[in-house]
Amino acid sequence: MAKGERKRALRGRAGRMKGGRGSGRASTGHVRLWGRHAVEAALKNPDRVHRKLWATREGIETLDGELPADFPVEYADVADLAPLVAKDAPHQGLVLECAALEDVHLDEVIGGEADAPLVFLDQVTDPHNVGAIMRSAAAFGAAAIVTQDRHAPPEGGVVAKSASGALETVPWVRVVNLARALEQAADAGYWRIGLTGAADATLAEALPAGPVALVLGAEGPGMRHNIEVHCDALARLPIGDAVESLNVSNAAAIALYAIATRQA
């Protein structure tokens, strides 16, 4: 509790507590989140149903808010939390088990704010990269990230930790067919720009005035051919010769900044 003042109540619905300590893997239908920013954001998200919080007393003190009196908390030492998370994960004394977020459909996020881009990820499977891209999406006002269901990491602690709270605020749309989703975006008026180092035009040259769907491929193979042909334009970031390419999450951050600061 903050010195000299009472913390505001953390929102979120506490689920019924079942069983004792976990085994390091969340039970079916639940996800485990860890780290202060990820846990705090999930606790404040009214769309989350929470099952249980494992925490050190120091970890509880870092939260910006006060848990409900009946919230299911199990206090533990730092070492006791290690089996509940990914190997060597920096849990900061907080591990939360909760229900996965409800599915978000593409038609729910298309056609919102005109300047809010959509971010399509083609087989970006590293959860650290997806989380980092989600964090940049939150920072630069993207409407959502869109991934193919079978070729993206699951919602979970690594994504949430890398997203630093953005998992709770940036809609994550999972689709069966990414090419079809790009067609839907085009029908809604989005200009689809695929980012690739092989393009002739720079991103600044390819940016339109209207809504943008930014498309990024996995590191190494890049975008698949079927995804490239569903882009209206291909563009590159004007990086120097000192490096061959950028990490996909770094490229996403730069591209989202360029979209956010483009001239009207």
Side-chain angles (χ1 to χ4, degrees):
M1 194 174 295
K3 293 181 180 180
E5 60 180 283
R6 183 178 178 82
K7 293 184 179 180
R8 67 179 183 275
L10 284 165
R11 294 172 293 174
R13 296 166 289 172
R16 184 183 300 277
M17 183 166 55
K18 302 175 183 176
R21 284 199 58 200
S23 63
R25 182 185 296 271
S27 55
T28 303
H30 292 83
V31 295
R32 285 222 182 114
L33 311 178
W34 53 80
R36 183 174 69 84
H37 292 298
V39 169
E40 185 175 281
L43 289 170
K44 290 180 177 180
N45 184 356
D47 294 327
R48 282 282 190 189
V49 177
H50 305 118
R51 181 176 182 267
K52 187 176 183 179
L53 176 66
W54 292 270
T56 63
R57 296 190 182 277
E58 293 79 9
I60 289 287
E61 288 297 317
T62 66
L63 291 174
D64 179 25
E66 188 175 71
L67 293 168
D70 60 347
F71 199 92
V73 179
E74 182 173 322
Y75 289 96
D77 294 328
V78 170
D80 295 328
L81 299 180
L84 303 175
V85 303
K87 185 178 179 181
D88 300 324
H91 53 69
Q92 299 176 294
L94 296 163
V95 181
L96 176 68
E97 187 165 290
C98 52
L101 291 169
E102 294 291 331
D103 290 340
V104 179
H105 300 287
L106 189 57
D107 56 9
E108 296 178 59
V109 297
I110 277 181
E113 293 183 32
D115 293 333
L118 295 172
V119 182
F120 285 78
L121 304 180
D122 181 29
Q123 298 192 329
V124 179
T125 57
D126 187 329
H128 297 92
N129 280 333
V130 172
I133 290 169
M134 194 172 289
R135 186 175 184 177
S136 295
F140 296 113
I145 68 166
V146 185
T147 64
Q148 191 173 359
D149 196 27
R150 286 190 175 185
H151 299 285
E155 178 187 341
V158 178
V159 170
K161 185 71 169 64
S162 301
S164 193
L167 177 62
E168 310 300 323
T169 59
V170 176
W172 185 354
V173 179
R174 293 175 176 270
V175 298
V176 174
N177 189 310
L178 200 66
R180 194 171 301 142
L182 283 165
E183 291 175 358
Q184 187 177 344
D187 290 342
Y190 287 81
W191 185 253
R192 302 162 300 179
I193 300 178
L195 212 59
T196 171
D200 293 327
T202 65
L203 180 60
E205 293 167 341
L207 279 177
V212 170
L214 179 68
V215 189
L216 300 107
E219 291 181 46
M223 285 180 291
R224 291 171 294 165
H225 176 71
N226 187 46
I227 300 304
E228 279 198 5
V229 299
H230 279 84
C231 293
D232 300 298
L234 299 178
R236 60 180 171 82
L237 297 177
I239 63 175
D241 295 333
V243 293
E244 182 179 347
S245 63
L246 293 174
N247 171 280
V248 64
S249 63
N250 291 334
I254 295 168
L256 286 168
Y257 171 78
I259 294 169
T261 57
R262 61 186 160 168
Q263 297 298 314

